Every structure is written in C-alpha cells, then in structure tokens.
Amino acid sequence: MRARPVLAITSGEPAGVGPELCAQLASRASRARLVVLGDIGLMRERAAGVAEVRAFKRSAPAPAGVVEVLHVPLAAPAVPGRLDVANARYVLALLDRALDGCRGGEFAGVVTAPVHKGVINDGGVPFSGHTEYFAERTGTPRVVMMLVGGGLRVALATTHLPLAAVPAAITRELLEDTLRILHADLVGRFGLAAPRILVAGLNPHAGEGGHMGREEIDVIVPVLDKLRSAGMQLVGPLPADTLFVPHTLAQGDAVLAMYHDQGLPVLKHVSFGGGVNVTLGLPVIRTSVDHGTALDLAGTGRADPGSLFAAVDLATGMAEAAS
C-alpha cells in the first residue's frame, strides 16, 4: 500500500489570512498528511472556534479535525491586518524549514500561503517572490510558472515583465528551456506519458505570416520544430484569441502563453478563488494559492480557503504521481 505523502504548508505572512486559512484545512479530508509550519501560539489564536491545534509529532499523526503545527517562533506578536517588519525573517524561516524538509525527505512537497513582498523588503531582505526565492535556494537556473484551475493548465514563457520588454525576452534559448521544463514536469509530476502542449504566438494572429511581427518565424517556429523532432507533441504557434476556445483546448493538456496577461486572464476568469500557482523545474514540489495576503480580511473569518484547498489537492496528486 502506497505511503501517505506528508506535505508542508507554510502559513505565510502572520498579519494576513494565511494562518486562518491553514486552520480550515482541518475541516476536510485529505489523502496527504498536512503539517502547517508556523508559530503554534499564533495558529491556536487564529484557529479558535475552528479547529484544535496540536504540535507536530512525526511518529504520531493527529486525528481528523486537528491541525498539526510544526512550531517556528514569531519574532514579534502578530496583529491581524498590521504588517510588522520584525516578522519578515520569520516568514522566510517558514520557507527555509519547508524547503529543508522537502530536500531531506521529511516532506513530499510544500504548499505556500501568501506572503507580503513589501514588508520582507522593508525588513532588509531583497525578495521578489516565492518562486525566485526557492529557485535561488535550490540553485535552479530556470523555473516556470504555471497556473492550474478551471480545467486549464497555463504556463508562462515570461512572467512579471513590462509588456514592452517581452519580445526581446523571448529568445530561442528561453523558449526551449521553458518547453523542456514544462514537458518534463507534465510527465514526471502530472503523470502524463505524452503531454500535448498548445503554444501561443506572441503577436496578433500569430504574426500573420510576418505582417504583424516576425517573432513567430524567427524564434518560436524554429524551437517548436527542433523539439518536435525530439518527440514532443507541440501545437502552434497558435493565435491567442482562438487558442482558448473549447475545441482547441480539448486538443492539449497544457498551454504555453508568451506573457502574463496573455494567458492568465482567461484562466482566472474560469477559476478565480480556486486557482493554483505551481512552480515547475524545482527539485521539490511547490504549489501556492493564487491570491495575496488580504490584510483587510485577516482575523475576520471571511477569507475563502478554496485556493488553498485546491493547492493542497494538486500537491497531493503531484506527490503521488512522482512516488
């Protein structure tokens, strides 16, 4: 009988909704054993009236309805909705502990609740996001951001760039590396033996034969031809305005969009509140919620746990596929 995967759930910014969302994990069954990383006093406070909190004991899994917490101490008391730079390094300590546990075999993957980039930077630590932090900590030269939800998997060739910088960023090397990472993780972590990837063009109408831009001709098509000859099933470059119609989507297992706002508005339209951010290319499984810290909702009990539930379910499936 296959062992039940153990997942680390980082509770994120202590002034945000992360801790109370983690408390709600006790309300539903999971195929994985879920271990929340955070200050146990904070978790008891935010879980009051929702779930019992118990210290994580490796050899004694908690019963259903109980939140297991691996204690990482706060640097300063946390008040819902009020950021404190004193806890910036606490947030990073959660990530470090989860990552160390994944790399040491203690955890099968990590699911991250939202952090606040600004307060971490204000605390004296240059920080651009979970993805970049994990990539640097693991020495991974290139990772790929993919969002999953509403029956779609949408990966990005470029992420948080000004639109004017996108064409120059899409090089043959970048595109080939991105497609190789996407293909490898669809096979190894999503259990797809022969994934079909739909690749969007950069320009309207995929360049319309060069009349609306030559990136498709000069960059995208040569890479697709090279990788097809290596056995990958790639369709494209396709005009983005017709790629996301049901008939076309049915022909693929994932989409590669060229830039952030080409692919994500469609996915978020069909999955908002239940979408999952996945980092591909890391040596560990990592999924995340698709929303921020929601400081205005912290401590109110009104935050929607749907995205965290979906992130846990996806990480569980990925861990099972990889085992």
Side-chain angles (χ1 to χ4, degrees), residues 18-289:
E20 61 207 76
L21 294 179
C22 289
Q24 294 189 58
L25 291 170
S27 69
R28 64 197 295 267
S30 175
R31 299 192 309 276
R33 181 182 179 185
L34 309 180
V35 179
V36 175
L37 275 58
D39 184 278
I40 196 164
L42 171 70
M43 286 302 304
R44 286 189 171 126
E45 175 189 322
R46 301 292 177 83
V50 175
E52 179 186 347
V53 171
R54 185 177 299 182
F56 169 59
K57 294 181 180 179
R58 194 167 289 103
S59 60
V66 175
V67 180
E68 293 191 80
V69 176
L70 194 163
H71 178 57
V72 178
L74 282 164
V79 178
R82 189 181 304 169
L83 296 170
D84 187 341
V85 294
N87 283 321
R89 292 187 183 274
Y90 159 80
V91 173
L92 297 182
L94 301 178
L95 304 183
D96 291 341
R97 180 62 181 85
L99 185 56
D100 290 344
C102 287
R103 300 187 79 182
E106 182 180 17
F107 304 126
V110 56
V111 179
T112 56
V115 300
H116 193 285
K117 299 175 189 176
V119 76
I120 296 174
N121 282 279
D122 290 344
V125 182
F127 183 83
S128 54
H130 281 110
T131 301
E132 295 82 2
Y133 189 78
F134 282 164
E136 181 179 350
R137 279 286 322 275
T138 60
T140 306
R142 181 162 286 155
V143 293
V144 174
M145 175 180 174
M146 182 169 77
L147 267 77
V148 178
L152 300 179
R153 301 183 185 100
V154 179
L156 302 177
T158 63
T159 53
H160 301 114
L161 290 179
L163 192 56
V166 169
I170 299 175
T171 63
R172 292 190 186 188
E173 178 185 16
L174 170 85
L175 194 56
E176 180 176 342
D177 287 351
T178 299
L179 281 164
R180 288 188 183 278
I181 291 168
L182 174 58
H183 181 272
D185 274 12
L186 288 172
V187 173
R189 291 185 170 164
F190 286 81
L192 301 172
R196 303 162 300 164
I197 301 172
L198 308 177
V199 181
L202 172 65
N203 297 296
H205 301 179
E208 199 153 308
H211 295 289
M212 292 189 183
R214 292 193 53 86
E215 286 83 2
E216 287 76 13
I217 294 170
D218 295 338
V219 178
I220 300 175
V221 168
V223 172
L224 299 189
D225 287 345
K226 177 182 178 179
L227 295 180
R228 286 189 191 106
S229 69
M232 290 190 196
Q233 296 188 58
L234 306 172
V235 181
L238 298 171
D241 63 343
T242 54
L243 189 163
F244 288 99
V245 300
H247 172 74
T248 304
L249 287 172
Q251 301 173 49
D253 299 299
V255 171
L256 179 64
M258 292 296 112
Y259 56 94
H260 187 280
D261 283 9
Q262 183 184 61
L264 297 195
V266 178
L267 184 136
K268 292 195 175 187
H269 172 71
V270 298
S271 71
F272 195 73
V276 181
N277 187 343
V278 187
T279 305
L280 306 179
L282 289 171
V284 302
I285 291 169
R286 181 258 169 165
T287 67
S288 179
V289 297

Side-chain angles (χ1 to χ4, degrees), residues 7-21:
L7 298 179
I9 319 295
T10 61
S11 52
E13 167 53 51
V17 295
E20 61 207 76
L21 294 179

